[in-house]
Amino acid sequence: MKSGDNHVSSQLLKGAAVLSLAAIITKLLGTLQKIPLQNIGGDGVFGIYNTVYPFYTILLTLATAGFPTAVSKFVAERHARGDERGKRAVLWLATFMMIALGLVGSALMYFGAPQLAAMIGSSQLVPALRSSAPALLFIPLSAALRGYFQGLQNMIPTAVSQVTEQAIRVAVMIVFLLYLSSAGATESVIAGGALSGSAFGGAAGLLVMLLYWAGYRRQRRTSAEQSIDVNQVRSIAVGSGSNEAHPGLSSGSASVAGERGRALLSSLLRYAIPICLASLAVPLISLVDTFTLPRLLSSHGDELAIMSAVGVYNRGIPLVQLVTMLASSLSVLFIPVLAEMNIRGDTAGIQRQLTLALRWFWLIGLASSAGLALLAEPINVMLYQDAAGSGTMAWIAWTAAPSALVTVTAALLQGLGYVRAPAFHLLLAAALKTALNAALVPQLGITGAAIAGIIAYAVAAALNLALLLRRTGLRPDAQAALLRPAGAILALAAAVLLLRLAAAPLPQSRLIAALVSLLGVLLGAAVFAVAVLRTRLLTAAEVAALPRLGPKLLKLLRKLRLIRPE
């Protein structure tokens, strides 16, 4: 029995690793694709794209966030019982719901585009809204199939589908950008072409899932044929086992009737809807800018000028998203460890892991914010060709630290069983961002929106942290949390500023900006790491305690003589 449990655990860990890797690749592609988008299309196209995309993401989250998880849970339960009809019933019902949601969402996006654009405050958005609508016909259906295979503990189809979807989306986006820009199309049409890549990516992702489904059906049919004898063939010919011999979507209606379709639908919705609502909290802050910035910037020029300003505002956001992506990928490592300790009632172990996680992510966030803020101008020129909005980008860089804390505290709370609180705190942060945008943007423009973002994420991080400390009894050391990291940040700042002073006499060009940016990132990271390790902000034991990665990282640091032996 133990060997079987170990095999299941091993399969789950491998599946989690595959999905995590796919998530990292898709997020990286999604973040980095914004650079050619701005370079080819310009700030106007960039602004239109980034105004529409959060709204599209909200609809997509509603359609897909909770249902793959719900489908995988219900399929896994029936798979464990050997209930083939029950598995197909879940898939048939989920497929029906996904098709219905996809049709409704797509119709809303396409036919409601003029009304939505009017609500946001710019008619430039209509082509982009309509171009993103067809993706909602494909992606929700993929979600149902992904959930089915995840329920079978087969994560490969989901991973391949996600990466294919994102890669095709980005490739098609770039092709349309190049073609429409060379043809002299307007900014709104170019942005619409870029967003149409989502439909092509969604279709490609669905095609991958259908190919895996066809292969699975063939495998099931072959297994069934090999396991039955002549008498079973005769009984099947009479009709007693036709459904079992031919698993597929077509047999779903009978299965649903057998499992009381309404009860199954109710169970799926009860499980999926809370996950959907929790997932909505993250893109909601971006949606605040979608609905507020164009109107609040109305005194700053015509519609296209406003969209260009929104594009400049969004230049710094992909950099922060890279930091958040790193934090999200690393924070997952702590969830199973904390869950296990929580079950055992190991309070001391929980407090050690919390201290370690909070210190790691606070330091990563601080270093990222300081480095990106100090290098905002050369990074801006390197990525986006000019220095427009460098001051705003520097402000946006300071959202990296609270965003990293929001990510890790949410993961730690989930590991301890508090799933809804982080989502509620982000909803409060979104409401605060709305109020602060209204107060700051009319006076400060896009810089006001950046400052509002810092405050909103800081409040969400503080609420998460307060709940975490209250529930675990942890008492953080103020000196270790604030004073000593401040010294490491000052060392980083001194090194980066000296580099920028040394490079000041050089001719200003995109190549020089790229060299200063890359050298600045490497130098700043190295100086900060040495300062952290030499001041024992992180000890060898704490580095080694990092789940899964710690021992290898400690070995590397000792080779480089960056950490003192204990």
Side-chain angles (χ1 to χ4, degrees):
M1 188 70 182
K2 278 189 177 181
S3 62
D5 291 342
N6 290 338
H7 175 71
V8 171
S9 299
S10 174
Q11 288 292 103
L12 288 173
L13 285 173
K14 287 178 182 176
V18 167
L19 283 184
S20 297
L21 180 60
I24 290 170
I25 293 171
T26 54
K27 287 178 183 176
L28 196 60
L29 284 171
T31 300
L32 296 179
Q33 56 99 20
K34 293 185 177 181
I35 296 167
L37 173 63
Q38 188 276 342
N39 284 195
I40 300 169
D43 287 321
V45 171
F46 197 49
I48 294 169
Y49 183 97
N50 283 291
T51 300
V52 169
Y53 198 73
F55 187 79
Y56 160 77
T57 304
I58 288 283
L59 284 180
L60 204 59
T61 301
L62 281 171
T64 64
F67 284 99
T69 305
V71 171
S72 66
K73 174 185 182 293
F74 284 81
V75 167
E77 290 173 349
R78 285 151 181 78
H79 183 64
R81 299 197 301 262
D83 183 1
E84 290 297 323
R85 288 189 176 185
K87 283 158 53 179
R88 293 198 301 277
V90 172
L91 179 59
W92 184 89
L93 188 57
T95 300
F96 176 79
M97 283 192 295
M98 291 295 95
I99 290 173
L101 285 171
L103 286 170
V104 170
S106 183
L108 282 173
M109 285 284 283
Y110 189 86
F111 295 108
Q115 289 75 26
L116 288 171
M119 289 170 61
I120 295 169
S122 177
S123 60
Q124 298 282 326
L125 305 176
V126 174
L129 285 165
R130 284 182 166 162
S131 295
S132 60
L136 295 172
L137 298 174
F138 306 116
I139 297 175
L141 186 52
S142 296
L145 289 167
R146 287 170 183 171
Y148 184 85
F149 281 104
Q150 288 170 34
L152 302 180
Q153 296 182 21
N154 183 1
M155 310 301 175
I156 299 295
T158 295
V160 174
S161 174
Q162 285 177 341
V163 174
T164 301
E165 178 186 316
Q166 191 74 305
I168 295 297
R169 185 178 75 82
V170 173
V172 171
M173 181 199 78
I174 292 173
V175 168
F176 273 110
L177 280 171
L178 291 169
Y179 172 73
L180 293 171
S181 297
S182 64
T186 63
E187 281 82 353
S188 60
V189 172
I190 296 172
L195 275 159
S196 67
S198 300
F200 286 90
L206 177 58
L207 178 61
V208 168
M209 292 309 305
L210 290 174
L211 289 173
Y212 272 106
W213 172 252
Y216 172 74
R217 288 188 64 189
R218 282 195 301 270
Q219 184 182 13
R220 290 287 306 161
R221 189 177 293 115
T222 302
S223 299
E225 288 172 354
Q226 290 175 349
S227 64
I228 56 179
D229 57 21
V230 176
N231 290 331
Q232 288 173 314
V233 171
R234 287 174 182 167
S235 66
I236 289 173
V238 172
S240 62
S242 56
N243 281 343
E244 194 64 33
H246 300 279
L249 288 170
S250 61
S251 62
S253 56
S255 300
V256 171
E259 285 206 22
R260 295 192 302 272
R262 288 183 182 178
L264 180 57
L265 174 62
S266 175
S267 298
L268 276 170
L269 290 174
R270 279 202 308 271
Y271 194 83
I273 287 174
I275 300 173
C276 286
L277 294 177
S279 301
L280 279 177
V282 175
L284 201 57
I285 293 181
S286 297
L287 195 67
V288 168
D289 287 329
T290 291
F291 277 100
T292 60
L293 273 186
R295 289 190 178 279
L296 293 171
L297 291 170
S298 58
S299 62
H300 291 251
D302 59 19
E303 285 189 358
L304 187 54
I306 291 169
M307 285 298 104
S308 294
V310 173
V312 171
Y313 169 76
N314 277 280
R315 287 185 178 194
I317 291 175
L319 302 174
V320 173
Q321 287 175 339
L322 285 175
V323 177
T324 307
M325 183 190 74
L326 174 65
S328 179
S329 302
L330 290 175
S331 65
V332 172
L333 300 174
F334 290 91
I335 295 177
V337 177
L338 281 175
E340 184 180 340
M341 288 179 173
N342 195 35
I343 291 171
R344 294 203 314 260
D346 184 0
T347 304
I350 288 172
Q351 290 184 347
R352 282 195 306 272
Q353 286 295 321
L354 290 181
T355 302
L356 177 66
L358 292 172
R359 188 173 298 171
W360 267 99
F361 286 89
W362 177 233
L363 292 174
I364 289 172
L366 273 180
S368 300
S369 283
L372 291 175
L374 291 165
L375 293 167
E377 186 174 339
I379 288 175
N380 200 7
V381 175
M382 175 183 73
L383 297 180
Y384 303 112
Q385 307 176 76
D386 59 48
S390 294
T392 300
M393 183 181 282
W395 279 105
I396 288 174
W398 286 104
T399 61
S403 292
L405 266 186
V406 167
T407 301
V408 68
T409 50
L412 295 174
L413 286 167
Q414 288 166 10
L416 295 173
Y418 301 100
V419 178
R420 296 180 182 177
F424 178 68
H425 295 160
L426 276 173
L427 289 174
L428 290 178
L432 179 60
K433 177 77 161 70
T434 304
L436 289 172
N437 271 8
L440 298 176
V441 172
Q443 285 74 35
L444 302 176
I446 55 175
T447 299
I451 295 170
I454 298 171
I455 298 171
Y457 278 110
V459 167
L463 290 171
N464 280 359
L465 186 59
L467 177 62
L468 198 60
L469 299 181
R470 188 167 68 250
R471 296 299 186 187
T472 60
L474 187 66
R475 296 291 178 266
D477 182 352
Q479 183 180 3
L482 298 174
L483 297 180
R484 288 160 68 191
I489 289 295
L490 287 174
L492 178 155
V496 171
L497 288 174
L498 283 172
L499 174 66
R500 292 201 61 186
L501 283 172
L506 296 174
Q508 299 303 304
S509 68
R510 198 172 186 184
L511 177 60
I512 296 297
L515 289 173
V516 171
S517 300
L518 297 175
L519 285 174
V521 168
L522 292 174
L523 177 63
V527 169
F528 186 78
V530 170
V532 164
L533 295 170
R534 290 299 181 186
T535 57
R536 299 179 67 80
L537 261 172
L538 283 173
T539 64
E542 287 174 327
V543 172
L546 184 67
R548 295 172 64 182
L549 300 178
K552 293 178 182 177
L553 182 58
L554 179 60
K555 187 177 179 182
L556 175 63
L557 292 173
R558 280 179 170 159
K559 276 187 180 179
L560 298 173
R561 298 183 179 179
L562 291 176
I563 197 163
R564 297 170 181 171
E566 295 182 353

